[in-house]
Amino acid sequence: MPAPFRILFLSAEVAPFAKTGGLGDVGGSLPKALRALGHDVRVVMPAYQAIETDYYAGRGGLVARPGGLLVPVRGATVSAGVFEGRLPGSDVPVYCIAQRSLFDRADRYGYGDDAYRFGFFSRAALELATVLGWQPDLVHAHDWHAAPAVAWLATAGQGDDRFRGLASLFTIHNLAHQGRAPWDIWDYLGILTHGLVEEGYGQVNFMARGIYHATLINTVSPTYAREILTPAGGAGLDGLLRFRHFDVHGILNGLDYHVWDPAADTSLAQPFSADQIERRAANKAALQARAGLSPRPAVPLVAMVSRLDWQKGLDITGHVIHLLLNNYAGEAQFVVLGSGAAEYESMLAHLAGYHTDRMAAFLTYDADLAQLIYGGADIFIMPSRFEPCGLGQLIAMRYGCVPVVRATGGLADTVQDLVTGFTFNGYSAGDFWQALQRALYIYSADRDSWRALQRNGMAADFSWQRSARGYQQLYDWAVARVRGQA
Ligand code: ADP
C-alpha cells in the first residue's frame, strides 16, 4: 500500500456542480473513491455562471475563501475569488475559481478566449495550493482545459521552489477536443517556449502539451489507450502519443453506484433490483405512456440516450431505425433522448414524424427521463464511431437494459457479446443491424437467456473502487519517477 498522496485535481467539469458529459461524472466521483483509499484529494474547477449564482443565492453549500487569490498572468497579477465547498456525500474539498470576466457567461465552452480562460484556471489552481498552505505530491490534470498546468509545471514551474519536481498525471477523456490557442498564450502564462511540440503555425495545441509534458498519461479505457496510438484513432496526435507510448495507460471509468442505483432511483416509476427484474415492467409502461407509444409489454422497446454528435454513430443509427420500424418482421418501438447537432436533431424528428405510432424523439437534455429510459427500455443502442469509455452502456447494464454496442474503445472493454450485451465491429449500418437483430431474436424467442443477459449486466462490477486503485498505481509510479526512484 503506497503512502497516501496529496493530489491537486483539476477538472473543467465536476458533477453535480457542472456536467456536460462523462468528464463531469469522473470529476464528481473519482475524487471520492480516492478519498476512500486514504488520499488527500482537493478538486479545483472554474466558477461558471451557475456556480456564481448559487453562491450569491446561498445555495450549493459554497463559502468564499477570505482573501481569494492572486494569479500571475501576463507579467502582472490578476485577482480571483475562491468558493469552497465539498463534493456531496463526502469530505472532499472543491474549490471554484471565480473570475467574472472569464467564467460568468451563459456557456462553459465555445468562446474565442477559451485558451485564456482555461489557462487562467490552470495557473490559478496551482497558486491555490500555496494559499491553502498545502503542498501536493502530484497534479492530476483532466483534458485540454487543465493541460496548461502540466505545461507550466514542466517549464516555468521548474524555476519555482514550490513546484520543482512535482509529478503530474494527464488524463485524456476525449482526444477529439484538443484546445487550440494562439502562441501568445505562453506569454500570458509566463512560459518560455522553444517549440517543443510540433504544432500548426501560429497555434498551440493544449492537448499535445499535456501529452508531451506530463510525467504519465492515461485515458479512460485500455482499448482507447491502444486505439489513440494509431493514425485512425489518434486525431492527429498519434505520432506524439507513440513517442510517449511507454507512459500511456488505460483505466476504465467507474459508475457512482450511489447515484446509479435502480433499487433507490426516485426517477423510476418502480424501483427494482436483480432479484425482481419483472418489476421493470412498470417502468416500461411508464416510458411508453410518456412517449405516447402503445402500452404493449411484449413489444421490444429500443432506446438511445446520447449527445447528438458525429462521434456517436447517428448516421448508421438513422438507417437502422428505419429498418427496425419499417421492415423488421416483428414489431418494435424506439425512444431517443438527445440534443446536439441540428442535422441529427432534424433527422430524428423526421423519423419520429414518419413512425409516430412506434417512435418518440425527445430532443432535449433531461436527466430524470434518461433514468426512466435506462430503467424501462429493453435494449440500449450505442453504435459509436469511437468511444473513450462511455457511461451510457454502464448505466444501461446496471439498470437491466441490454446494450447493443460497437466494439470500440471502452465499449469493447465493458460489453461482452452474448454475456452482458451484443457487440459488432465494423462501422456500418449492416453490421449494426445484424447485431440488433440478434438481440431482438433472443428477446422474443428465449426469455431465459434474455433474463441471464440482464442479470449478468446488473452484476458486473464497474465501481469506482476498482478504477481508483488503477489511478493509485499511476500516482505511485509518477511520484516515484520524479523522485528518482524509477
Ligand atoms: P459523453 O461523455 O461522450 O457524452 P458518456 O456515455 O461517457 O458520453 O456519458 C454520457 C452521459 O450523459 C450519460 O450519463 C448519459 O445518460 C448522459 N446524457 C447524454 N445525453 C443526455 C440527455 N439528452 N439527457 C440526459 N442525459 C444525457
Side-chain angles (χ1 to χ4, degrees):
M1 166 75 193
F5 293 119
R6 287 180 298 267
I7 302 151
L8 187 64
F9 190 104
L10 277 64
S11 180
E13 293 183 25
V14 178
F17 300 105
K19 167 181 161 178
T20 314
L23 175 63
D25 287 308
V26 175
S29 326
L30 174 58
K32 288 198 261 184
L34 291 166
R35 183 79 196 97
L37 291 177
H39 301 291
D40 179 0
V41 197
R42 310 212 178 178
V43 180
V44 195
M45 66 180 297
Y48 301 107
Q49 190 168 68
I51 294 174
E52 281 259 1
T53 311
D54 275 355
Y55 167 72
Y56 284 105
R59 288 190 299 258
L62 297 166
V63 294
R65 234 194 123 70
L69 262 186
L70 289 175
V71 186
V73 283
R74 218 186 286 288
T77 50
V78 173
S79 62
V82 179
F83 303 140
E84 183 176 352
R86 294 277 180 275
L87 281 182
S90 79
D91 63 353
V92 175
V94 182
Y95 303 95
C96 308
I97 306 293
Q99 226 306 325
R100 283 198 143 157
S101 67
L102 298 175
F103 301 119
D104 191 3
R105 304 185 188 177
D107 295 318
R108 294 182 196 125
Y109 317 116
Y111 298 99
D113 60 348
D114 277 0
Y116 301 94
R117 298 171 68 226
F118 291 101
F120 182 87
F121 156 67
S122 296
R123 191 67 191 82
L126 296 174
E127 285 304 315
L128 176 69
T130 304
V131 168
L132 298 177
W134 181 80
Q135 175 64 40
D137 297 306
L138 180 133
V139 171
H140 188 171
H142 293 266
D143 263 354
W144 68 264
H145 327 92
V150 173
W152 189 88
L153 280 176
T155 52
Q158 292 301 304
D160 186 323
D161 288 341
R162 297 172 300 165
F163 298 105
R164 191 176 302 119
L166 194 56
S168 59
L169 175 66
F170 182 59
T171 300
I172 300 168
H173 293 263
N174 191 336
L175 205 58
H177 305 285
Q178 300 181 354
R180 303 281 175 162
W183 269 105
D184 86 325
I185 187 72
W186 298 136
D187 295 336
Y188 178 76
L189 292 172
I191 297 179
L192 288 174
T193 175
H194 17 271
L196 289 173
V197 181
E198 290 244 357
E199 286 158 325
Y201 284 107
Q203 288 234 301
V204 169
N205 181 320
F206 274 15
M207 184 68 94
R209 290 285 169 160
I211 294 165
Y212 184 83
H213 290 295
T215 314
L216 292 177
I217 301 131
N218 85 293
T219 178
V220 289
S221 70
T223 297
Y224 191 61
R226 285 192 297 276
E227 288 171 348
I228 59 175
L229 301 178
T230 67
L237 298 182
D238 48 294
L240 176 61
L241 283 157
R242 284 196 298 279
F243 168 68
R244 295 221 54 191
H245 76 279
F246 280 117
D247 295 327
V248 177
H249 301 267
I251 299 179
L252 270 180
N253 285 339
L255 207 55
D256 189 331
Y257 282 170
H258 297 297
V259 175
W260 301 104
D261 179 3
D265 191 329
T266 51
S267 304
L268 296 179
Q270 168 91 277
F272 62 94
S273 65
D275 302 335
Q276 328 135 318
I277 295 190
E278 51 307 330
R279 291 177 139 218
R280 289 184 92 252
N283 297 315
K284 182 167 175 178
L287 178 56
Q288 285 168 324
R290 175 93 185 260
L293 302 172
S294 48
R296 302 178 51 197
V299 170
L301 177 50
V302 180
M304 181 176 214
V305 177
S306 182
R307 284 188 297 118
L308 300 180
D309 183 276
W310 183 81
Q311 170 194 343
K312 301 292 182 181
L314 275 312
D315 48 357
I316 59 174
T317 301
H319 290 291
V320 165
I321 294 311
H322 204 54
L323 288 170
L324 175 74
L325 302 181
N326 246 354
N327 294 346
Y328 174 55
E331 276 187 76
Q333 296 175 334
F334 179 62
V335 171
V336 56
L337 167 63
S339 62
E343 68 210 85
Y344 301 128
E345 291 198 359
S346 72
M347 174 190 83
L348 293 167
H350 271 285
L351 274 171
Y354 185 80
H355 299 288
T356 33
D357 50 338
R358 296 175 173 200
M359 171 175 169
F362 297 94
L363 302 175
T364 174
Y365 187 94
D366 184 334
D368 286 327
L369 178 57
Q371 270 150 280
L372 183 61
I373 292 176
Y374 290 118
D378 299 302
I379 296 173
F380 186 79
I381 57 170
M382 208 158 159
S384 305
R385 267 174 212 273
F386 68 93
E387 195 60 70
C389 176
L391 286 173
Q393 84 282 16
L394 300 183
I395 302 169
M397 285 191 273
R398 187 75 180 151
Y399 279 63
C401 186
V402 177
V404 175
V405 306
R406 176 153 178 260
T408 180
L411 295 169
D413 293 329
T414 54
V415 180
Q416 266 184 289
D417 195 50
L418 290 170
V419 178
T420 53
F422 298 84
T423 66
F424 63 97
N425 289 310
Y427 185 79
S428 77
D431 288 24
F432 180 14
W433 178 225
Q434 270 190 4
L436 185 56
Q437 280 181 300
R438 285 197 293 130
L440 292 164
Y441 176 75
I442 294 183
Y443 175 85
S444 316
D446 186 349
R447 295 304 294 169
D448 289 344
S449 296
W450 191 260
R451 279 278 185 263
L453 284 162
Q454 289 181 297
R455 288 214 176 85
N456 293 343
M458 292 185 79
D461 177 11
F462 296 110
S463 65
W464 270 112
Q465 282 84 323
R466 200 169 89 152
S467 313
R469 283 194 292 274
Y471 280 99
Q472 176 171 286
Q473 177 72 78
L474 294 189
Y475 295 157
D476 212 18
W477 285 335
V479 169
R481 163 121 23 125
V482 299
R483 291 183 184 164
Q485 299 159 9

